[in-house]
Amino acid sequence: MTHGFDTLQVHAGARPDPATGARQTPIYQTTAYVFRDADHAAALFNLQEVGYIYSRLTNPTVAALQERVATLEGGAGAVCVSSGHAAQIMALFPLMGPGLNIVASTRLYGGTITQFSQTIKRFGWSCSFVDFDDPAAIEGAIDENTRAIFCESIANPGGYVTDLDAVAAIADRAGLPLIVDNTSATPYLCRPIEHGATLVVHSLTKYMTGNGTVTGGAVVDSGKFDWSASGKFPSLADPEPAYHGLKFHETFGGLAFTFHSIAVGLRDLGMTMNPQGAHYTLMGIETLSLRMQKHVENAVRVASWLENHPAVAQVTYAGLPSSPYNDRVARICPNGAGGLFTVALKGGYESCLKFVDGLEIFSHVANLGDARSLVIHSASTTHRQLSEEQQIAAGAAPNVVRISIGIEDPDDLIADLDQALKNAG
Ligand SMILES: *Cc1c(COP(=O)(O)O)cnc(C)c1O
């Protein structure tokens, strides 16, 4: 029997605790698990039997969350990790090696641009950034050393929706996996696997937990990519020396990526999610659809009001009829364009600083996807490491403020924005 999203967000992955009957998933605050006997231990270590060994690899509370996120995304499996940035490294780790590259959209979370343009070079990996509205540019950036295509569904800082079907078609033709960061949309608004994504990454820190209490991430595998076809993915297709020559793809099929991420990725990189964090995220996901509906409803109201304000030069929100990406919303994220957008002020950089300092309900923080409304002046904070050209390409020009609309009363949000805009001159 298949169930609807609202049912799955409460039940997927969770069942009453077999030992106690506890209805809510317990927090299994344990590092290790007792083996039944020496044969059981050997089978677990050989990956011949699935079970719990040590919480760097697997933990029952984290496993419930993994199954829930995989189910909501329509994936075959998922691995949860310590942050969204950890999820990105974990997604790339089995695919990459020295001298290999990825092709990514210019429209990404600022921290991701830094991770991909600077930090991954230390591993000998590199990234070409191109405009994902230009199919020829994506195709032109792919070479024989490319191992993945990377973009966000609704791109941070908001207002942009990627044409996932078009990008997936390019990845398919090149025989490459498409990795989609679905943090800003969540599976309630967008399900990238239905549009051809191979892997979906999440910062669970944001809307999935939904209240700014947890740092976490996830990588969901569609289970659909043929890792053995091209000879380009030896970690998944070829014998793994650390497991007696086991071939992950041949042995685990559609779960190859997930098993590799646990058995090799978490084992050796150790970017593990803790059970307490998994518990908070499970609680958050129970109300995901209710919150996302309210985020979208409020964002449409507030963005429409701002668009008509005399101090405002531009509002980029794909949920507004004025947005060039409005037609993609119905196709890519049919339940709405999210709760995130940017506003450009006519007063420029200085006016933006006065505006964010004058707000009372909105908090000026480096976060998004909270029940509370948040703002950030990206050019002076999260995007300050980037050149002005990169800032503009990422939608974070000096006169732009990013707004993450919460689930408060929209009239109160509008009144707060109104007084802060008056003070900003
Ligand atoms: C926050 C965020 C990340 C990074 O996630 P962390 O949990 O902060 O590591 C990656 N991508 C997007 C779109 C984000 O919003």
Side-chain angles (χ1 to χ4, degrees):
M1 189 163 76
T2 58
H3 294 290
F5 193 96
D6 291 354
T7 305
L8 293 172
Q9 72 185 358
V10 176
H11 290 285
R15 44 198 73 77
D17 179 49
T20 62
R23 188 64 195 85
Q24 187 52 280
T25 303
I27 305 170
Y28 287 90
Q29 197 70 43
T30 183
T31 307
Y33 307 83
V34 179
F35 306 124
R36 287 195 303 270
D37 52 36
D39 286 345
H40 177 222
L44 290 173
F45 275 92
N46 279 341
L47 301 183
Q48 286 156 337
E49 187 178 329
V50 175
Y52 299 102
I53 299 175
Y54 187 67
S55 282
R56 175 163 21 85
L57 308 174
T58 45
N59 171 281
T61 314
V62 177
L65 177 61
Q66 287 171 163
E67 192 176 330
R68 186 165 302 173
V69 175
T71 304
L72 295 178
E73 285 289 2
V79 59
C80 285
V81 293
S82 54
S83 71
H85 270 1
Q88 292 167 188
I89 295 298
M90 286 285 287
L92 295 177
F93 173 66
L95 317 180
M96 300 294 283
L100 302 179
N101 69 69
I102 60 172
V103 174
S105 171
T106 47
R107 297 179 184 85
L108 296 177
Y109 179 72
T112 305
I113 294 179
T114 308
Q115 189 186 51
F116 287 176
S117 63
Q118 308 298 327
T119 304
I120 65 171
K121 281 193 213 157
R122 308 283 185 94
F123 309 140
W125 311 348
S126 63
C127 176
S128 311
F129 296 95
V130 295
D131 177 359
F132 269 40
D133 279 344
D134 182 352
I138 306 174
E139 269 166 348
I142 296 172
D143 64 24
E144 73 277 9
N145 291 324
T146 305
R147 290 296 179 270
I149 311 290
F150 187 99
C151 64
E152 296 178 5
S153 47
I154 298 175
N156 198 306
Y160 177 80
V161 177
T162 304
D163 187 347
L164 295 179
D165 302 287
V167 177
I170 296 170
D172 259 2
R173 277 199 297 280
L176 295 172
L178 171 63
I179 306 174
V180 177
D181 181 338
N182 201 32
T183 300
S184 304
T186 81
Y188 180 68
L189 299 181
C190 175
R191 308 216 323 154
I193 291 171
E194 291 172 4
H195 298 280
T198 305
L199 304 174
V200 177
V201 296
H202 273 283
S203 168
L204 299 174
T205 314
K206 313 293 170 52
Y207 293 105
M208 295 288 266
T209 304
N211 45 36
T213 50
V214 167
T215 307
V219 185
V220 182
D221 178 19
S222 64
K224 291 179 182 161
F225 194 83
D226 184 349
W227 303 108
S228 306
S230 64
K232 288 182 175 172
F233 303 101
S235 297
L236 294 161
D238 292 357
E240 167 64 41
Y243 285 107
H244 310 301
L246 175 101
K247 296 179 182 174
F248 276 88
H249 189 213
E250 190 182 282
T251 309
F252 300 114
L255 282 168
F257 190 94
T258 302
F259 272 84
H260 187 278
S261 294
I262 293 167
V264 181
L266 288 181
R267 185 196 63 189
D268 295 344
L269 301 179
M271 304 167 169
T272 307
M273 173 175 259
N274 66 77
Q276 186 93 34
H279 167 73
Y280 288 130
T281 303
L282 280 165
M283 304 277 268
I285 291 175
E286 291 185 353
T287 57
L288 180 64
S289 65
L290 310 177
R291 289 184 287 106
M292 293 314 290
Q293 283 163 20
K294 178 72 167 159
H295 281 294
V296 168
E297 202 179 292
N298 280 0
V300 170
R301 275 267 325 261
V302 174
S304 308
W305 177 83
L306 276 170
E307 198 174 37
N308 294 313
H309 194 282
V312 169
Q314 199 191 12
V315 176
T316 55
Y317 179 53
L320 291 176
S322 59
S323 166
Y325 303 106
N326 193 241
D327 62 328
R328 287 185 190 169
V329 174
R331 186 160 53 86
I332 307 288
C333 43
N335 286 336
L340 206 59
F341 58 84
T342 65
V343 54
L345 299 188
K346 287 178 184 160
Y349 189 93
E350 289 306 320
S351 172
C352 288
L353 296 184
K354 281 192 202 138
F355 171 60
V356 298
D357 281 344
L359 287 163
E360 282 160 15
I361 296 175
F362 287 77
S363 308
H364 187 201
V365 298
N367 193 17
L368 59 94
D370 194 312
R372 278 151 281 276
S373 289
L374 311 173
V375 290
I376 191 155
H377 183 230
S378 307
S380 62
T381 56
T382 51
H383 287 58
R384 72 177 299 137
Q385 314 299 345
L386 307 184
S387 68
E388 190 167 328
E389 195 187 7
Q390 283 177 314
Q391 288 175 347
I392 292 167
N399 69 332
V400 167
V401 174
R402 184 188 75 196
I403 301 189
S404 173
I405 293 290
I407 59 174
E408 303 99 329
D409 284 314
D411 291 335
D412 293 335
L413 299 180
I414 288 171
D416 192 26
L417 292 165
D418 197 31
Q419 64 79 22
L421 282 171
K422 283 199 182 95
N423 285 339

